[in-house]
Amino acid sequence: MKTNATIFSVAILMLLNINIAHAETINAHKTALQVAASTCSACHGEQGRSISPIFPNLAGQTATYLADQLKSFKSHTRADPDAVAYMWGIAGQLNDDLIQTLADYYSAQRPVTKSVADLAVVSRGEQIYINGVIADGVPPCATCHGPHGAGTDIFPRLAGQHAQYTLKQLNVIKNNLRNSAVMRNAILGLKENDMTAVAQYLQSMGM
Amino acid sequence: MTFKKFVLTSLLATAQLVWVMPVYAVPSFARQTGMACEACHTIYPQLTHFGRLFKANGYTLDNMQGTVHDISTDNKETLSLTGTPPISLMVQASETWLNKSLPDSTGSNGNAQNGTVAFPQQISLFYSGKIAPHLGAFIQLTYGNDSGQVGIDNTELRYANSIVTPNEQALIYGVSVNNNPTMQDLWNSTPAFGFPYAASNANVSPLAATQIDGTLGQDVAGMSVYALWRESWYGELGIYRSAKQGATNSTTGAAGPLDGSHSNVISGAAPYYRLAYEHQWGRSSLEVGLYGANFKLYPGGSTIDAPMSLTGPANEFNDFAQDFQYEFVDDRHIFTLSGTRIHESIKLNASLADGSKNDLTTSRLWGSYYYKRKIGGTVGYFSTTGSTNSSLYSVETTSGVVTSVNGSPDTKGWIAELNYIPWLNTKLALQYTAYNKFNGSSSNYDGFGRNASANNTLYLLLWVAY
């Protein structure tokens, strides 16, 4: 069984190698990059531009917001079903340094530019975004999320985000599954079809 | 039975045993990662894109608190143990009904009972998860009601690492040591983790199966190196050697070496290769690929009366296969369509004097739909066809059933399965298999008056994992 013996010695050599490699101190940025490119990317896409609308784009998102969200997944205060199923486990593995480095990394990436959207509702969505819905007590989204939806600091970027994800989050926030009183008050009066319209508009926005 | 037939029968017996191997999802992975099953599976055991990445990354992503560490005097990490070992248990209980009951094997005129209860059909213990940084394992011990014993099942050790290029594209690479060709594969279109994911072991299995189609599972050990570029290009190269379980050398009584008393021993090492490309768009992904292996097997299996050593000509099985998998994954609707076609050219240099050339082709196509990961099902078509060879497939029997009177291996049919998933780790399945052709023909295939449809099988399964 010469070959079996070879297989074994190679396996053992590999084991030794792993320990040595692991023991080397790798700088935080490199670790973050490795985590981002080999783990987060499986869902959020290369450099945070996700392919499937189940998973939000992270590219170009504000760093403060990203770090906040990762911490709230970790502390289980963001508790909608997909957060529980996917992100609680992921965020639980990240320490505060890694969270910050990942947040900085993703915020520095080129955001997604989306153009395909349901044109029938985009103009309604734009109206809501710029002017709000006075009758329903909904303030203009732009006041907090910025005129181009690029976000700033604690106010997340919305432009270019998948409509399916945005719509899901609007409901999640409305149902108080995210610890976010400011945003919840802003959209409590927003009707379902207006949510769809604004989500489509945001997907069509790009810059 | 002639000697030659004995050899060929034992060759085929192995094939029959492993016609369908059940496959699994493992809750210890969920415990380790803190993620729900749906991150990695559409419905277990079908993998999502992330599930494939988790596997390619060596099952090492973890979220376990209370890790046990050790460091050496120069502050290097020498041990990193997870607080809880990644152990899971899987139980399958089932009942199987054949369309027409089997003849009584005592040779009396009656029939065997119809309706086989299996409680359990199988209980498996898994150690699945991280062992050390970059090193993971998928180890499965299974008790089966057919063997009445606990034995090693699909098992793999995996080392994985990744390189990120300056423009932030990832190359994941690794090494897998495993005991079943294709169990290390990332897609469910290849044999080891393909449909049917679970099947009756109280059914009648057709005679012919290609070697890469599970025939050598748990009978070999292989090592392969693989690389996955940007989550889309996948390449793998490996070799397999015979590694028989429960086989001893009759001279020494020790665990080896193998000799002529063992059957179907791989001559040297058998090469294995795999190339695949996956493209993702929207909620969809499509994989197309090819895989194959070349096995040179010494028939062996000799006795003192008919000695036969592991030298001289070997039977050659060259397997070349294509596969594809389409996946649509959303919160509400999940749809998958997969298929594979395996062509095997066989040169029986050792078993038949004329070294006769044969071939065998297996094709499978199946589609699944699930609504909200609660209810759904799969419909599949299968076909194995090949050259007629009575010394291969006309097995001598006293009551038919497992032979082919015309010497043809052709078997074709359909499988339909309904699933209800009350919890993500519990599956109820009702499966019906219908044969249009069995071991060469649709009627009286065994020369004892049994028709292909007599082997149609209704199978009710409860499958839990925790």
Side-chain angles (χ1 to χ4, degrees), chain B residues 153-417:
Chain B
D153 206 324
N154 285 338
T155 287
E156 162 178 60
L157 287 175
R158 202 182 263 262
Y159 165 83
N161 209 337
S162 57
I163 299 170
V164 182
T165 63
N167 55 347
E168 291 157 25
Q169 297 166 343
L171 177 81
I172 297 172
Y173 63 92
V175 181
S176 163
V177 178
N178 66 72
N179 69 352
N180 185 7
T182 75
M183 81 152 287
Q184 74 274 36
D185 198 47
L186 305 182
W187 291 271
N188 292 80
S189 42
T190 51
F193 290 110
F195 182 78
Y197 310 117
S200 175
N201 59 355
N203 62 344
V204 184
S205 294
L207 279 168
T210 61
Q211 298 296 323
I212 206 166
D213 199 6
T215 304
L216 296 170
Q218 290 83 50
D219 210 34
V220 293
M223 179 159 90
S224 58
V225 292
Y226 64 91
L228 178 62
W229 169 240
R230 296 186 70 186
E231 301 176 21
S232 56
W233 280 103
Y234 179 80
E236 182 184 349
L237 278 177
I239 49 164
Y240 282 88
R241 291 259 295 159
S242 280
K244 305 221 173 248
Q245 302 303 317
T248 51
N249 180 289
S250 47
T251 309
T252 60
L258 298 174
D259 63 15
S261 65
H262 300 101
S263 48
N264 296 317
V265 177
I266 296 176
S267 154
Y272 169 86
Y273 55 89
R274 168 74 162 139
L275 188 65
Y277 176 75
E278 178 175 308
H279 176 66
Q280 285 184 279
W281 74 100
R283 302 165 181 85
S284 301
S285 67
L286 175 69
E287 174 266 347
V288 289
L290 48 88
Y291 58 99
N294 184 284
F295 300 99
K296 293 195 178 70
L297 302 179
Y298 290 119
S302 65
T303 59
I304 290 174
D305 304 331
M308 191 169 208
S309 65
L310 302 187
T311 51
N315 294 330
E316 189 176 339
F317 300 81
N318 192 37
D319 292 6
F320 178 64
Q322 301 88 15
D323 71 301
F324 80 94
Q325 174 181 294
Y326 170 77
E327 235 173 37
F328 176 92
V329 184
D330 200 6
D331 295 337
R332 252 165 217 271
H333 307 288
I334 293 173
F335 176 73
T336 51
L337 183 70
S338 318
T340 189
R341 178 184 177 279
I342 308 167
H343 178 80
E344 180 170 80
S345 42
I346 309 168
K347 275 187 235 152
L348 297 173
N349 305 321
S351 299
L352 297 176
D354 60 356
S356 82
K357 280 189 191 171
N358 292 272
D359 64 274
L360 206 55
T361 304
T362 292
S363 306
R364 278 188 219 114
L365 181 71
W366 66 95
S368 302
Y369 171 78
Y370 287 97
Y371 180 69
K372 289 191 167 173
R373 292 186 156 91
K374 267 271 173 229
I375 189 152
T378 303
V379 177
Y381 171 77
F382 58 87
S383 146
T384 294
T385 56
S387 41
T388 298
N389 186 329
S390 52
S391 50
L392 260 184
Y393 306 116
S394 299
V395 183
E396 282 173 27
T397 65
T398 50
S399 52
V401 184
V402 292
T403 181
S404 162
V405 70
N406 61 9
S408 154
D410 296 6
T411 295
K412 292 178 186 184
W414 294 85
I415 305 185
E417 182 175 313

Side-chain angles (χ1 to χ4, degrees), chain A residues 1-4 6-8 10-11 14-15 17-24 29-30 33-43 45-47 51-55 81-82 84-94 105 109 164 168, chain B residues 32-36 38-39 49-50 53 57 61-63 65 75-79 132-135 159 161-165 167-170 172 175 177 221-223 230-231 239 241-243 258 269 280-284 329-331 373:
Chain A
M1 291 276 115
K2 206 168 180 182
T3 309
N4 279 1
T6 322
I7 290 176
F8 254 93
V10 171
M14 248 153 39
L15 257 164
N17 209 353
I18 295 153
N19 279 332
I20 295 161
H22 187 75
E24 283 165 10
H29 183 73
K30 209 180 147 202
L33 205 67
Q34 189 127 6
V35 170
S38 66
T39 301
C40 316
S41 64
C43 296
E46 245 173 37
Q47 299 171 335
I51 298 171
S52 165
I54 300 175
F55 308 116
D82 284 348
V84 176
Y86 295 89
M87 284 308 296
W88 282 17
I90 293 281
Q93 314 176 30
L94 310 172
Y105 166 75
Q109 303 306 314
Q164 179 176 334
K168 179 177 72 175
Chain B
Q32 168 180 313
T33 60
M35 298 166 95
E38 69 209 68
H49 179 79
F50 176 72
L53 266 282
N57 276 314
L61 181 73
D62 84 303
N63 179 36
Q65 308 300 324
N75 212 18
K76 287 187 172 169
E77 190 166 42
T78 56
L79 185 70
H134 301 290
L135 194 69
Y159 165 83
N161 209 337
S162 57
I163 299 170
V164 182
T165 63
N167 55 347
E168 291 157 25
Q169 297 166 343
I172 297 172
V175 181
V177 178
M223 179 159 90
R230 296 186 70 186
E231 301 176 21
I239 49 164
R241 291 259 295 159
S242 280
L258 298 174
Q280 285 184 279
W281 74 100
R283 302 165 181 85
S284 301
V329 184
D330 200 6
D331 295 337
R373 292 186 156 91

Side-chain angles (χ1 to χ4, degrees), chain B residues 34-90:
Chain B
M35 298 166 95
C37 318
E38 69 209 68
C40 288
H41 296 283
T42 57
I43 291 295
Y44 67 88
Q46 175 90 28
L47 291 176
T48 59
H49 179 79
F50 176 72
R52 290 188 274 283
L53 266 282
F54 176 68
K55 188 171 179 180
N57 276 314
Y59 313 111
T60 52
L61 181 73
D62 84 303
N63 179 36
M64 306 279 268
Q65 308 300 324
T67 307
V68 181
H69 290 282
D70 198 3
I71 49 170
S72 60
T73 44
D74 53 347
N75 212 18
K76 287 187 172 169
E77 190 166 42
T78 56
L79 185 70
S80 169
L81 293 181
T82 43
T84 324
I87 289 193
S88 318
L89 204 65
M90 187 198 85

